[in-house]
Amino acid sequence: SDITKHLLAKPIKIGKYCWVGMNAVILAEVELGDHTIVGANSVVTKSFPEGYCVIAGNPAKVIRTLDKSEILNK
């Protein structure tokens, strides 16, 4: 009942060129690889370190993979 106490957790890691949709929730210790797109209102409960994907839902899951050869890396 003491709201000043909390548990420490590893940080969230978000890769380069990621998009996070409005109202998406990313839980502690989750890692998103480069070029990951998170759909609006999604709840990300696990990591997607490989990246190059579109994830959405509750809990979020891969709904599409992106072709690395079509992505412009800068």
Side-chain angles (χ1 to χ4, degrees):
S1 63
D2 185 359
I3 63 171
T4 62
K5 295 181 181 180
H6 62 279
L7 298 174
L8 295 177
K10 293 179 184 175
I12 297 168
K13 294 181 182 179
I14 299 177
K16 296 178 183 177
Y17 307 108
C18 291
W19 293 353
V20 179
M22 189 170 201
N23 296 326
V25 176
I26 301 174
L27 298 183
E29 303 184 14
V30 166
E31 179 180 351
L32 300 177
D34 296 345
H35 298 279
T36 299
I37 300 170
V38 181
N41 297 310
S42 297
V43 179
V44 185
T45 59
K46 66 177 188 171
S47 294
F48 296 89
E50 65 283 349
Y52 295 91
C53 60
V54 179
I55 59 175
N58 182 7
K61 63 180 181 178
V62 175
I63 59 171
R64 181 177 175 199
T65 56
L66 302 176
D67 186 1
K68 291 181 183 181
S69 65
E70 293 180 7
I71 306 280
L72 296 176
N73 285 321
K74 296 183 180 185

